Amino acid sequence: MFEYAVVDLTDWRNRMPVSAKLALLEAAEPGPEVITALATFDVETLSEFDQVVLLRTLEKARHWLDALQQPVLAAVAGEAGTHDWGREEVAAALSLSKQTADRRITAARNLSGCLTATLAALRAGRISYWHAAHLAAQTAGLAVDLAREVERLALPKALGDGTRPGEGLAAFRRTVTRALIEADPAHVEKQRKAARTDRSVSTWLNPSTVTGSITADGLDPDAISRIMTVLRTRAGQLHTPDDARSHDQRMADAFLDIFDQAAERMDPPGRTGRGGTLVSLVLDYPTFLGLAEHPGWLDGYGPIPADYARELAADAAFRRLLVDPTTGHLLDLSPRTYRPAEPLRRFLTARSRICDGPGCNRPADQCDIDHTIRYTDGGTTTTDNVHPGCGRDHNLRHDGGWKLTQDPDGTTHWTSPTGHTYLNPPWDYRPLE
């Protein structure tokens, strides 16, 4: 399908100038020999021009490896079914979230199935994995003939030709949408309605800057327009003659201001602090007193700098949870009833922070508290036998064939039907020093 230069790797290191070697490798079909040759270059000795050529050629080689992985991913995940229990194996084996594993599996099944031309282009290094995965995701669920028609219409734009380069990912996304509408407009409308039904709000955290983002998915375009109009109006109201903030900063402040006003009007019972909301902190005593600079933990976000933690502690109501200085784990509580008491639930969610299932990132406070050894089988409602687990991971044990054991400190061991065991220790609050 694709034509390449013929590369003779005999006496590779001695017979060609570096630039000539790189030029031939870039024109060659990616594969084991090319990857081996690429590993011989020292980037520090290359000219700036050749560094860019090496970068492009390595990217092609990575696409080749991505193509090799697709049928393997599909095989490990198994046939698509009602529950798709193979997703957990992929998530745990590759240290991915379940959502990411799900997307990777969907792409692999489609690329290994009907989108053969796209997989060939990926293997040839002509398109990126992200181009291939987007096309695969957007055609998932289509009949084979329709999926291939979308591929026929869209893929050439990603490949480019002798007169124009292939489209970047953003442009290719628009091309795929156009191809979908042309091939099956009824499917696009169905997808739009489904996305609206599944509308949601999610948070994205940036640990490197200790900030984050809030995303609302599945909103109608007219709703987005209304929201942005309100934000621009409020940002204008917040502007003063001596205001040094940029427009983007005022928009972000207006966003927060609107929700702070809403929170104050709601006045949730038993809540105090900024905007009527409770700020929960995990903070050790030396840091609280200013004698140490260990990171704190902000509930709903994660680790935060000591200065910021002390600022919140001085400004809002917070619950201080003590940690064991040796292990970094929270101290134990031991209620003896079947249904976990609220102190135990708070402890467990603070100990784990997320669902204890393999590859799961659902916040622990949104999970059920499950028994490792069932209560009816003699299991106790204590910290060494209960853990936060989402509904799917609870069913993973009963319907998906996984086995679960738990250590006294809360560490869970999940063994998949293939025999691989994945370890999930409790959150470690100790400083990284």
Side-chain angles (χ1 to χ4, degrees), residues 108-122:
R109 285 172 174 161
N110 220 6
L111 291 169
S112 303
C114 61
L115 300 182
T116 54
T118 304
L119 185 60
L122 181 63

Side-chain angles (χ1 to χ4, degrees), residues 75-365:
V76 172
E79 295 292 331
T82 304
H83 298 292
D84 268 351
W85 298 120
R87 181 183 74 173
E88 276 69 23
E89 181 87 54
V90 171
L94 301 184
S95 298
L96 303 173
S97 70
K98 291 183 180 181
Q99 292 77 13
T100 300
D102 206 25
R103 290 192 293 269
R104 293 274 293 270
I105 290 168
T106 296
R109 285 172 174 161
N110 220 6
L111 291 169
S112 303
C114 61
L115 300 182
T116 54
T118 304
L119 185 60
L122 181 63
R123 186 183 180 101
R126 293 287 302 277
I127 61 174
S128 76
Y129 171 76
W130 305 112
H131 286 76
H134 181 72
L135 182 56
Q138 295 305 303
T139 54
L142 290 181
V144 172
D145 58 338
L146 282 173
R148 286 179 174 163
E149 175 63 9
V150 174
E151 180 185 57
R152 184 189 71 80
L153 293 170
L155 184 58
K157 295 289 189 180
L159 295 173
D161 53 34
T163 60
R164 65 174 63 184
E167 289 182 334
L169 183 56
F172 183 65
R173 288 175 183 270
R174 293 189 291 269
T175 294
V176 171
T177 300
R178 289 173 54 196
L180 280 166
I181 293 173
E182 290 184 28
D184 191 2
H187 175 77
V188 174
E189 179 61 13
K190 180 180 177 181
Q191 292 289 89
R192 187 190 72 81
K193 291 180 178 178
R196 191 178 186 282
T197 300
D198 294 336
R199 58 192 180 275
S200 63
V201 175
S202 57
T203 57
W204 296 85
L205 308 181
N206 187 342
S208 62
T209 62
V210 197
T211 59
S213 304
I214 297 176
T215 302
D217 293 315
L219 300 185
D220 289 329
D222 63 303
I224 294 173
S225 179
R226 292 198 307 273
I227 291 170
M228 295 306 294
T229 298
V230 170
L231 281 175
R232 283 191 291 267
T233 300
R234 185 57 183 149
Q237 293 172 346
L238 294 176
H239 183 58
T240 60
D242 58 348
D243 194 344
R245 292 174 298 176
S246 67
H247 172 73
D248 287 341
Q249 289 172 333
R250 288 199 304 273
M251 288 285 284
D253 292 344
F255 182 86
L256 179 60
D257 180 71
I258 289 170
F259 279 92
D260 278 347
Q261 290 184 36
E264 289 170 0
R265 289 194 299 270
M266 291 169 60
D267 190 22
R271 298 291 181 108
T272 58
R274 289 180 179 174
T277 57
L278 176 67
V279 178
S280 297
L281 291 172
V282 177
L283 190 64
D284 62 33
Y285 280 119
T287 301
F288 178 66
L289 297 174
L291 303 177
E293 297 298 311
H294 300 152
W297 182 281
L298 178 62
D299 214 11
Y301 181 86
I304 58 175
D307 280 345
Y308 182 40
R310 285 190 289 264
E311 175 188 334
L312 291 180
D315 183 70
F318 70 98
R319 180 177 63 249
R320 185 169 61 244
L321 300 175
L322 301 180
V323 297
D324 187 319
T326 303
T327 65
H329 302 163
L330 288 178
L331 299 175
D332 200 3
L333 295 171
S334 301
R336 299 292 182 183
T337 58
Y338 168 70
R339 185 173 299 278
E342 188 57 28
L344 175 57
R345 173 180 288 276
R346 289 199 303 266
F347 167 77
L348 293 170
T349 56
R351 180 178 72 181
S352 296
R353 288 299 169 193
I354 58 175
C355 171
D356 277 329
C360 189
N361 281 305
R362 181 182 291 274
D365 58 6

